[in-house]
Amino acid sequence: MTSEPEESVRLQGYGEMTLRSAIATVMLLAPRERAEAAIFRVRDGVRLASSEIAELASEWGISPAAEIRSPRLVPDPHWSDIVRGMVREAPLPSLMVAFLLGVLVTRR
């Protein structure tokens, strides 16, 4: 079945859009989420196969963004590690000011 770039489709979880926009959106997802993505044609309700999505993406020059990580996969930041990293990079005078400011705040 032929596919037009401006054909109206429904990307599960994102809504209705053109086929080109849906494929570009799918290619921006993390590989695991990309495999679970579903695109349905509006005219007949048929789901596009993942092989057809990949074929159309390569035909239209849309490359997958494999380096981008999904926010769900990124671990929660540990504040102690963040503060420790900031302290390592901070110059000594600013650390002294921060310490004195902390002392003043805790005394009040």
Side-chain angles (χ1 to χ4, degrees):
M1 182 176 279
T2 61
S3 298
E4 296 295 322
E6 299 305 315
E7 179 181 2
S8 195
V9 296
R10 188 172 45 257
L11 177 57
Q12 187 175 3
Y14 291 88
E16 196 168 314
M17 58 186 75
T18 64
L19 181 59
R20 182 184 297 273
S21 298
I23 290 180
T25 303
V26 167
M27 290 298 151
L28 289 176
L29 297 174
R32 184 175 294 159
E33 292 174 350
R34 191 180 315 140
E36 296 171 358
I39 298 177
F40 297 93
R41 284 192 165 88
V42 171
R43 66 176 178 217
D44 54 9
V46 173
R47 181 179 176 168
L48 273 69
S50 58
S51 60
E52 186 177 359
I53 294 170
E55 182 181 316
L56 288 171
S58 65
E59 181 180 318
W60 293 337
I62 303 170
S63 59
E67 302 84 31
I68 297 176
R69 292 186 57 168
S70 171
R72 253 190 284 166
L73 301 176
V74 176
D76 292 330
H78 299 285
W79 288 108
S80 60
D81 295 336
I82 293 171
V83 171
R84 194 175 301 126
M86 290 169 54
V87 169
R88 275 192 211 120
E89 296 172 4
L92 189 57
S94 59
L95 289 176
M96 290 172 49
V97 169
F99 174 76
L100 292 175
L101 185 62
V103 169
L104 287 175
V105 169
T106 54
R107 286 190 164 206
R108 287 192 174 199

